[in-house]
Amino acid sequence: MINVYKELVYHDARTFAEIEALILSITDSDEKLVSHNRVPAWVGKAKIHLLANWNKHVSLDDLAEVCGVHKVTISKYFSKYLGSTFRMYQRKIRIIRAIELIKLEKYSLTEVAFLCGFADQSHFTRFFRQTVGCLPKQLPKA
């Protein structure tokens, strides 16, 4: 959590990538990421599409169409290459963006929740606490 906050303080071009790596390293599973160089092209396409549409609802069917593979392939292998399930990865990206919005101190937590695609503030707060380890309102104090 402290590392995430440090990255937000020193905002530069690499910040999102570094925060993404920190957030994605927080995982409940013992699955290992594939460490060899043979990552299918659809994985990169999926990642780019999810990052570009972070605040929109992206269905598995939509992602399969963009990547040019069957949705079962994505469901089966997404966590192998990116370290979490499709939905969890999408939520983690939203949390990263939420941290950036909270840091701006321009929006209320309710507005941040809705801007990041969460149904309501309580859902956002619950997932934020599970992922980051503190409540969203405690973030600037870290």
Side-chain angles (χ1 to χ4, degrees), residues 20 24 47 84-93:
E20 178 187 25
L24 295 177
K47 191 173 178 180
S84 62
T85 65
F86 160 65
R87 288 285 175 222
M88 188 61 75
Y89 187 82
Q90 198 173 30
R91 287 184 186 143
K92 287 179 180 180
I93 290 171

Side-chain angles (χ1 to χ4, degrees), residues 102-122:
I102 291 168
K103 179 74 170 112
L104 292 175
E105 297 180 0
K106 189 169 148 183
Y107 304 103
S108 70
L109 289 181
T110 304
E111 290 171 321
V112 170
F114 286 118
L115 288 171
C116 292
F118 288 92
D120 56 37
Q121 185 180 344
S122 68

Side-chain angles (χ1 to χ4, degrees), residues 1-20 22-23 93-105 128 132 134 136 138-142:
M1 175 57 201
I2 297 298
N3 292 335
V4 171
Y5 184 73
K6 286 179 185 176
E7 289 301 328
L8 287 170
V9 172
Y10 303 107
H11 190 72
D12 60 7
R14 294 184 351 219
T15 300
F16 182 83
E18 292 173 8
I19 292 172
E20 178 187 25
L22 290 168
I23 294 288
I93 290 171
R94 289 176 178 179
I95 292 297
I96 294 166
R97 296 296 187 195
I99 291 170
E100 292 173 349
L101 292 173
I102 291 168
K103 179 74 170 112
L104 292 175
E105 297 180 0
F128 191 96
V132 179
C134 69
Q138 295 171 330
L139 185 64
K141 298 175 188 174

Side-chain angles (χ1 to χ4, degrees), residues 7-59:
E7 289 301 328
L8 287 170
V9 172
Y10 303 107
H11 190 72
D12 60 7
R14 294 184 351 219
T15 300
F16 182 83
E18 292 173 8
I19 292 172
E20 178 187 25
L22 290 168
I23 294 288
L24 295 177
S25 71
I26 302 169
T27 181
D28 296 329
S29 67
D30 293 330
E31 294 180 33
K32 304 270 189 230
L33 289 173
V34 175
S35 60
H36 58 5
N37 294 334
R38 296 196 155 259
V39 177
W42 67 262
V43 175
K45 290 178 185 176
K47 191 173 178 180
I48 289 168
H49 186 71
L50 290 173
L51 289 172
N53 297 291
W54 63 272
N55 61 344
K56 299 175 185 154
H57 174 73
V58 178
S59 71

